[in-house]
């Protein structure tokens, strides 16, 4: 029974484009309608009709400690009572900056913004201002938010929506965005050879999580580092998903490759709208008011968001075992799914996983490229999604997104999910 969700959506589509404030929430690619959330606690989500789900969306990554975590919200009543924004600096901004720089020790300074989109947009402007060059390089299927130059051959909702490059982006901007293939260093080298003095930056998701999930091949990220050094371009790691998720120090520490700038978001807000970009001193000296690259924000660094973010980051620092736990629960899920497929004689499914994020593709593996991702049977995913939903498992409503686990997911959740998966996969096979 999802009557209330259906009724709300009928009204919503009249008032809001597609009824949603972010496209993937429309459930369009699984041939369904949105489920309206009412409340969440831990790993569990309750919708407006009272149905309960084990949630693997987790707000698309931010909720690493699960829904309505007491750890995340510690002290926010006091913040609300004292004032949620001043337009003046506050101590908690200094504290969270210290926390982020501690996690990414190769970075010297950090600037807080209000979303991942703002972080990547600002990082690109910084790279352009610093290098005095205009072109940027990105990878097909990587998503970096919705600013103009980054919505070219993008991932996430643009993949499921089938709009690889958005309307409304001037030709002149598209021309400044060069597209390379993830895990294909040759494609990067070719572009550098063609434009040796014009490329300001490479921006990359070190763990692409917006075309499902794929992992970089050994040497790929290091190869980007070397090419950027050779051609004087800035290397930007978009760690909006991977930062504080894969490890405390994100993919940067996980792979041991040092970018020049990192972009953060999602987890660092503890469930509030937050982004950040951090870089080496020489770069960050270019940012206003010190340097000539302008970037500002009325609500940037507001105490409410900073307090929730700092609560979560401090907890993760003090509890490194959280990452071991995420690894363990996610591996149990992966193993269970793999075992189910084996028992059902299904051999055209590939499960990619890095730490507490994973994705099941409906295609033969290995899947380590955008082209590979595109071979997945999205109709099969839609059947799978609906069968899981009916059993109380909330998966991402799109093949090209990944599942996020939280520290609140229990062994019992995992067992229930594996059981539901077997039933769902049996249905997929019959379909
Ligand atoms: C979610 C995401 C963004 C955009 O962040 P918003 O807060 O949605 O603007 C940027 N980059 C990556 C890798 C993301 O996953």
């Amino acid at each position: 029974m999802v009557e209330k969700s259906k009724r709300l959506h009928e009204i919503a589509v009249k008032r809001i484009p597609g009824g949603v404030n972010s496209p993937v929430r429309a459930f369009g690619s699984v041939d369904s309608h949105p489920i309206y959330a009412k409340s969440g606690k831990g790993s569990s989500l309750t919708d407006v009709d009272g149905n309960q789900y084990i949630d693997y969306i987790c707000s698309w990554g931010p909720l690493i400690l699960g829904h309505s975590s007491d750890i995340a919200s510690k002290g926010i009543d006091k913040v609300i009572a004292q004032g949620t924004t001043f337009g003046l600096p506050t101590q908690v901004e200094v504290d969270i900056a210290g926390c982020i720089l501690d996690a990414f020790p190769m970075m010297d300074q950090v600037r807080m913004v209000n979303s991942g989109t703002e972080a990547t947009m600002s990082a690109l402007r910084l790279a352009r201002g610093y290098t005095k060059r205009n072109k940027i390089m990105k990878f097909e299927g990587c998503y970096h938010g919705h600013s103009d130059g980054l919505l070219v051959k993008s991932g996430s909702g643009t993949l499921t929506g089938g709009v690889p490059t958005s309307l409304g982006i001037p030709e002149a901007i598209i021309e400044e965005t060069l597209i390379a293939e993830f895990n294909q260093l040759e494609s990067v080298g070719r572009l550098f050879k063609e434009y040796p003095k014009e490329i300001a930056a490479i921006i990359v998701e070190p763990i692409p999580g917006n075309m499902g999930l794929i992992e970089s091949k050994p040497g790929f990220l290091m190869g980007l580092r070397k090419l950027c050094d050779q051609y004087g371009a800035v290397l930007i790691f978009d760690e909006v998903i991977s930062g504080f998720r894969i490890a405390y120090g994100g993919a940067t520490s996980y792979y041991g490759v040092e970018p020049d700038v990192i972009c953060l978001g999602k987890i660092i807000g503890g469930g509030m709208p937050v982004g950040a970009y951090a870089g080496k001193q020489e770069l960050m000296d270019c940012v206003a008011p010190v340097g000539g690259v302008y970037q500002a924000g009325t609500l940037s660094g507001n105490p409410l968001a900073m307090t929730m973010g700092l609560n979560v980051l401090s907890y993760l620092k003090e509890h490194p075992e959280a990452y071991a736990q995420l690894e363990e629960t996610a591996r149990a899920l992966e193993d269970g799914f793999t075992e189910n497929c084996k028992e059902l004689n299904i051999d055209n499914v590939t499960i990619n996983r890095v730490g507490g994020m994973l994705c099941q593709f409906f295609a033969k593996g290995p899947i380590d490229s955008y082209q590979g991702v595109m071979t997945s049977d999205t109709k099969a995913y839609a059947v799978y999604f609906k069968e899981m939903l009916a059993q109380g498992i909330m998966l991402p409503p799109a093949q090209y997104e990944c599942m996020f686990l939280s520290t609140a997911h229990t062994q019992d959740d995992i067992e229930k999910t594996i059981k539901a998966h077997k039933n769902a996969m049996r249905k997929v096979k019959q379909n």
Side-chain angles (χ1 to χ4, degrees):
M1 277 280 289
V2 285
E3 291 316 306
K4 275 192 186 162
S5 275
K6 277 187 182 159
R7 271 208 305 281
L8 272 172
H9 191 55
E10 278 165 22
I11 304 167
V13 289
K14 292 181 190 145
R15 298 180 183 171
I16 307 170
V20 292
N21 283 314
S22 198
V24 72
R25 294 178 204 167
F27 285 44
S29 71
V30 287
D31 181 29
S32 193
H33 63 86
I35 298 293
Y36 280 70
K38 182 159 190 193
S39 65
K41 189 73 201 168
S43 61
S44 162
L45 175 78
T46 305
D47 70 12
V48 287
D49 289 284
N51 302 302
Q52 231 186 358
Y53 308 90
I54 301 171
D55 183 24
Y56 292 99
I57 298 177
C58 284
S59 190
W60 305 100
L63 302 180
I64 193 164
L65 303 182
H67 289 277
S68 55
S69 152
D70 296 335
I71 297 160
S73 61
K74 195 174 136 220
I76 61 164
D77 289 350
K78 198 167 145 211
V79 176
I80 290 168
Q82 288 180 341
T84 58
T85 175
F86 300 97
L88 292 173
T90 54
Q91 181 182 335
V92 64
E93 294 167 75
V94 185
D95 294 343
I96 198 169
C99 202
I100 290 171
L101 295 174
D102 171 64
F104 294 86
M106 73 295 293
M107 299 300 160
D108 296 309
Q109 288 195 316
V110 58
R111 172 59 67 77
M112 304 305 298
V113 294
N114 301 294
S115 67
T117 295
E118 244 188 278
T120 57
M121 180 187 81
S122 308
L124 284 189
R125 184 179 303 142
L126 170 58
R128 284 171 162 149
Y130 173 77
T131 58
K132 314 267 192 316
R133 297 174 175 182
N134 284 336
K135 290 198 190 301
I136 56 143
M137 196 191 304
K138 73 177 285 293
F139 296 91
E140 190 166 24
C142 279
Y143 178 72
H144 305 289
H146 62 87
S147 71
D148 282 355
L150 290 171
L151 262 191
V152 182
K153 303 242 170 167
S154 183
S156 188
T158 67
L159 283 183
T160 41
V163 278
T165 302
S166 170
L167 288 176
I169 298 178
E171 202 58 45
I173 287 176
I174 293 173
E175 279 168 16
E176 302 296 4
T177 304
L178 306 172
I179 306 295
E181 286 166 57
F182 192 86
N183 271 338
Q184 296 289 332
L185 268 184
E186 310 83 68
S187 72
V188 180
R190 266 200 305 277
L191 288 170
F192 269 125
K193 279 215 179 88
E194 200 174 341
Y195 305 100
K197 294 195 157 56
E198 291 172 65
I199 299 169
I202 292 181
I203 185 166
V204 62
E205 285 181 78
I207 303 171
N210 285 289
M211 46 172 146
L213 176 67
I214 65 175
E215 210 179 341
S216 62
K217 286 185 186 160
F220 176 70
L221 296 172
M222 190 51 90
L224 296 182
R225 176 67 278 172
K226 288 190 179 139
L227 282 166
C228 281
D229 288 342
Q230 189 182 338
Y231 288 93
V234 174
L235 180 60
I236 304 170
F237 275 6
D238 180 351
E239 294 232 42
V240 170
I241 287 181
S242 56
F244 296 96
R245 168 157 292 278
I246 291 313
Y248 189 67
T252 301
S253 76
Y254 189 77
Y255 293 112
V257 177
E258 284 194 17
D260 302 300
V261 174
I262 51 160
C263 299
L264 296 167
K266 299 198 165 111
I267 288 175
I268 65 162
M272 295 292 280
V274 181
Y277 61 105
K280 308 221 162 145
Q281 195 66 48
E282 200 185 339
L283 277 142
M284 297 307 275
D285 278 344
C286 297
V287 179
V290 179
V293 175
Y294 195 72
Q295 185 271 306
T298 301
L299 290 171
S300 291
N302 72 79
L304 190 55
M306 295 303 102
T307 300
M308 287 194 67
L310 183 60
N311 283 342
V312 172
L313 301 193
S314 309
Y315 177 85
L316 292 172
K317 178 165 173 71
E318 285 156 25
H319 295 84
E321 75 278 8
Y323 292 101
Q325 186 201 334
L326 283 169
E327 169 71 25
E328 201 176 307
T329 36
R331 192 189 315 117
L333 204 56
E334 179 191 4
D335 289 349
F337 284 7
T338 306
E339 190 58 33
N340 285 344
C341 290
K342 211 187 264 167
E343 281 174 27
L344 293 167
N345 283 319
I346 296 171
D347 63 357
N348 57 347
V349 157
T350 304
I351 300 161
N352 283 355
R353 181 181 72 81
V354 187
M357 53 200 274
L358 69 158
C359 179
Q360 174 175 302
F361 291 105
F362 287 81
K364 274 207 163 80
I367 294 181
D368 55 13
S369 68
Y370 172 79
Q371 275 69 29
V373 167
M374 287 300 118
T375 62
S376 190
D377 180 350
T378 54
K379 292 212 173 71
Y381 184 86
V383 174
Y384 166 62
F385 169 84
K386 281 192 260 193
E387 292 295 336
M388 289 295 267
L389 192 72
Q391 296 174 86
I393 312 292
M394 181 66 79
L395 297 176
Q399 169 71 87
Y400 306 127
E401 309 285 352
C402 54
M403 294 168 70
F404 291 103
L405 274 86
S406 75
T407 56
H409 284 80
T410 62
Q411 203 51 49
D412 186 48
D413 290 332
I414 300 301
E415 277 163 28
K416 279 186 184 142
T417 307
I418 292 170
K419 206 176 268 176
H421 176 268
K422 192 163 186 182
N423 296 330
M425 292 305 286
R426 198 176 278 125
K427 290 273 171 56
V428 171
K429 199 179 165 186
Q430 287 161 4
N431 214 272

